[in-house]
Amino acid sequence: MAAAAARPGFRRMFSVSAFAPPKPPTPPPKADPSPNLFVSGLSKRTSTEGLRNAFAKFGEVLHARVVTDRVTGFSKGFGFVRYATVEDAAKGIEGMDGKFLDGWVIFAEYARPRPPPQQPEMNSQPQHSWGPPSGSWGAQ
């Protein structure tokens, strides 16, 4: 009798319906048009000057930068390009998104603004690591 009662729970534990499938991740919202572009998929050999020259064909580039590793100096695979106008940035995305640069397919999109840094909550009590614990062993 006990085995019969345990059987439905056992079956439920291993059935597909007991576990909800993971929800697909929601893609981040598209960034508003701006003169700043985020470029990903860059080769390790892509330099800042090479990035600037590739995007300069589509408008006036004010600033270009390949983000590099501090230790090795190699590209981290992404960078930023700033155009003079939003129209030039749109032409740069249209001209370079999905194209080859230094043998790699790159992706260009409008850069999203960096979120503000998280400020620590000032109302919380500081955690002290000194002194005896509240339920010390020596207390009677």
Side-chain angles (χ1 to χ4, degrees), residues 43-64:
S43 166
K44 298 276 186 217
R45 341 178 266 224
T46 302
S47 65
T48 296
E49 202 54 41
L51 184 67
R52 175 188 293 276
N53 292 337
F55 279 84
K57 300 172 191 170
F58 304 101
E60 182 185 353
V61 175
L62 299 178
H63 180 75

Side-chain angles (χ1 to χ4, degrees), residues 50-123:
L51 184 67
R52 175 188 293 276
N53 292 337
F55 279 84
K57 300 172 191 170
F58 304 101
E60 182 185 353
V61 175
L62 299 178
H63 180 75
R65 181 173 147 234
V66 173
V67 178
T68 57
D69 184 78
R70 291 180 187 171
V71 176
T72 64
F74 286 117
S75 165
K76 284 190 166 187
F78 65 94
F80 297 92
V81 176
R82 177 177 292 151
Y83 279 101
T85 65
V86 175
E87 292 79 20
D88 287 347
K91 291 177 194 171
I93 289 175
E94 184 180 324
M96 291 301 292
D97 188 40
K99 301 297 191 280
F100 282 92
L101 179 63
D102 292 333
W104 288 50
V105 176
I106 64 168
F107 303 96
E109 60 185 279
Y110 293 114
R112 287 189 286 280
R114 181 181 285 183
Q118 294 290 338
Q119 296 294 328
E121 203 171 299
M122 299 306 286
N123 295 336

Side-chain angles (χ1 to χ4, degrees), residues 31-45:
D32 294 330
S34 73
N36 298 325
L37 301 183
F38 173 73
V39 183
S40 60
L42 296 176
S43 166
K44 298 276 186 217
R45 341 178 266 224

